[in-house]
Amino acid sequence: MKIIVTGGAGFIGGNFVHYMVNKYPDYKIICLDALTYAGNVETLEPVMNKENFMFVKGDIADRKAVYSLFETEKPDVIVNFAAESHVDRSIENPEIFLRTNVIGTSVLLDACRKYGIKRYHQVSTDEVYGDLPLDRTDLFFTEETPIHTSSPYSASKASADLLVQAYGRTYKLPVTISRCSNNYGPYHFPEKLIPLVIANVLNDKTVPVYGKGENVRDWLYVEDHCAAIDLIIHNGKAGEVYNIGGHNERTNLQVVKTIINALGKSEDLITYVTDRPGHDMRYAIDPTKIKNELGWEPATTFDEGIKKTIKWYLDNKKWWENIISGEYQKYYEKMYSKR
Ligand code: NAD
Ligand code: TDX
């Protein structure tokens, strides 16, 4: 089996590449990644020299490059992680989100039609469902929840999902979509909440909490997400959507305090800053379908996962210090200095 993993130099795609290369020595795993600010070849270092792995630098929205890769490699399966993924950046500059997340997806789908594949899998997000109110803890996102987006990021991901479903119905392309809740774990880019807090606390810098820190996210350890996608591409039914999440809801403030306490630092580092515009209140996934149909269940609780994650950031300082010492400083200054 030959699998093209797009966005495999990023956080979740990188973890997925490691997972698949190690689990399936007989498969060929090809990572296609444009190496944007979020892509990092160092994330692929543990697999770079493995015989069943190949890295190709390329843009999913570049039709010529994508067709040429399909022509030479004739992949069986495509797993599309490649995306602009940060909500705050989408609020600053939506256009690149449309180019990569929508046009890029359409180019991949066209390549699948032209060359033929066994499965196209779209890695989507729970953010396509919008948000849930904080005072209705009985409500969860199911696969039937209407699409109702809040940010340019989630609107672009929802547009991509609709295109994937349209290609499934109109051209009978064998597609699946997964919608996962917030991931955390190794190789998470430090612009996102958990790695940002770990890096700031370790550097004794203040920790910016948007609004009152009451917003709720449903956290999933990244390896559990990888295992779910592995199951979907092998056993999932074409045309289906699968929600992925493990009932690990926490307020942002709970998450921040857990990290500060685990690192033995003072909660005085917490600084409340201007809220994110359009900030979604609560995400919470109902994972019944993937549990019943594919037997998936998360293996890692939040308490275990956050300990493993903190340890990884302590053991792999070079990986994230390289990132935060470069261009990232300009980003941080722009987003947080006057907030
Ligand atoms: P990330 O930002 O860490 O990585 C994205 C990767 O895509 C990077 O390696 C980047 O170089 C690459 N990329 C960007 N534009 C590209 C292009 N035009 N062509 C080729 N490669 C390109 O993102 P992530 O957090 O790993 O998210 C991966 C996917 O999972 C995304 O589709 C995201 O929407 C989805 N998702 C993320 C989460 C989460 O909590 N992080 C949760 C649910 C779904
Ligand atoms: O500095 C911060 N302070 C803060 O309070 C940052 C970066 C975030 N936050 C809040 C905003 C959110 O309520 O923390 C929460 C998590 O924020 P992010 O890490 O930016 O994630 P989120 O916006 O929830 O989106 C993530 O999960 C769904 C991913 O980035 C998306 O790609 C995925 O689709």
Side-chain angles (χ1 to χ4, degrees), residues 85 125 127 153 182 191 193 208 210 217 252 276 279 336:
S85 69
T125 168
E127 297 199 18
Y153 163 71
N182 285 58
E191 68 190 350
L193 180 72
Y210 299 168
R217 296 293 181 266
N252 292 339
R276 171 185 282 173
H279 199 173
Y336 293 98

Side-chain angles (χ1 to χ4, degrees), residues 270-290:
I270 295 172
T271 310
Y272 294 93
V273 300
T274 310
D275 210 350
R276 171 185 282 173
H279 199 173
D280 281 337
M281 288 315 297
R282 171 174 169 253
Y283 301 143
I285 285 276
D286 176 352
T288 308
K289 177 175 175 180
I290 190 165

Side-chain angles (χ1 to χ4, degrees), residues 7 9-13 32-36 38-40 58-61 80-85 99-100 123-125 153 157 180-183 188-189 192 225:
F11 164 46
I12 312 175
L32 173 66
D33 197 296
L35 296 181
T36 68
N40 193 339
D59 180 346
I60 58 163
N80 182 25
F81 289 93
E84 287 294 331
S85 69
R99 184 182 180 277
T100 292
V123 181
S124 186
T125 168
Y153 163 71
K157 292 295 289 184
C180 191
S181 59
N182 285 58
N183 282 217
H188 202 178
F189 194 85
K192 307 285 167 56
H225 188 184

Side-chain angles (χ1 to χ4, degrees), residues 34-246:
L35 296 181
T36 68
Y37 80 93
N40 193 339
V41 271
E42 282 168 37
T43 298
L44 295 170
E45 200 264 330
V47 293
M48 207 49 117
N49 295 322
K50 300 254 179 161
E51 265 180 32
N52 61 340
F53 177 72
M54 184 171 114
F55 176 73
V56 178
K57 184 172 186 294
D59 180 346
I60 58 163
D62 178 345
R63 194 172 287 275
K64 237 174 111 186
V66 169
Y67 283 12
S68 150
L69 182 65
F70 274 65
E71 178 105 44
T72 21
E73 293 298 334
K74 304 191 172 42
D76 302 296
V77 174
I78 313 302
V79 183
N80 182 25
F81 289 93
E84 287 294 331
S85 69
H86 193 32
V87 174
D88 292 331
R89 288 188 194 249
S90 83
I91 294 167
E92 292 293 302
N93 178 17
E95 194 175 346
I96 182 72
F97 285 72
L98 301 183
R99 184 182 180 277
T100 292
N101 302 2
V102 186
I103 305 293
T105 299
S106 81
V107 169
L108 291 173
L109 290 166
D110 284 339
C112 291
R113 273 186 72 204
K114 185 169 160 69
Y115 294 98
I117 38 97
K118 295 200 178 86
R119 176 62 59 87
Y120 173 91
H121 182 72
Q122 177 74 1
V123 181
S124 186
T125 168
D126 60 359
E127 297 199 18
V128 300
Y129 298 123
D131 63 353
L132 297 163
L134 288 181
D135 60 359
R136 288 294 307 274
T137 49
D138 56 316
L139 296 181
F140 296 90
F141 297 135
T142 74
E143 290 79 359
E144 313 310 323
T145 303
I147 301 282
H148 185 83
T149 56
S150 312
S151 69
Y153 163 71
S154 56
S156 70
K157 292 295 289 184
S159 308
D161 281 15
L162 295 178
L163 265 182
V164 171
Q165 285 174 322
Y167 275 62
R169 172 152 175 168
T170 302
Y171 306 115
K172 307 278 175 281
L173 207 64
V175 297
T176 40
I177 297 175
S178 53
R179 295 182 180 143
C180 191
S181 59
N182 285 58
N183 282 217
Y184 68 103
Y187 304 107
H188 202 178
F189 194 85
E191 68 190 350
K192 307 285 167 56
L193 180 72
I194 288 184
L196 183 144
V197 174
I198 297 174
N200 281 19
V201 171
L202 286 173
N203 288 326
D204 291 309
K205 279 179 71 171
T206 57
V207 171
V209 170
Y210 299 168
K212 296 186 189 145
E214 289 173 331
N215 308 62
V216 170
R217 296 293 181 266
D218 183 359
W219 294 97
L220 187 75
Y221 192 62
V222 63
E223 213 172 85
D224 284 326
H225 188 184
C226 297
I229 295 174
D230 178 18
L231 274 176
I232 296 169
I233 59 176
H234 286 98
N235 306 331
K237 214 170 122 208
E240 295 292 312
V241 174
Y242 296 91
N243 281 356
I244 310 173

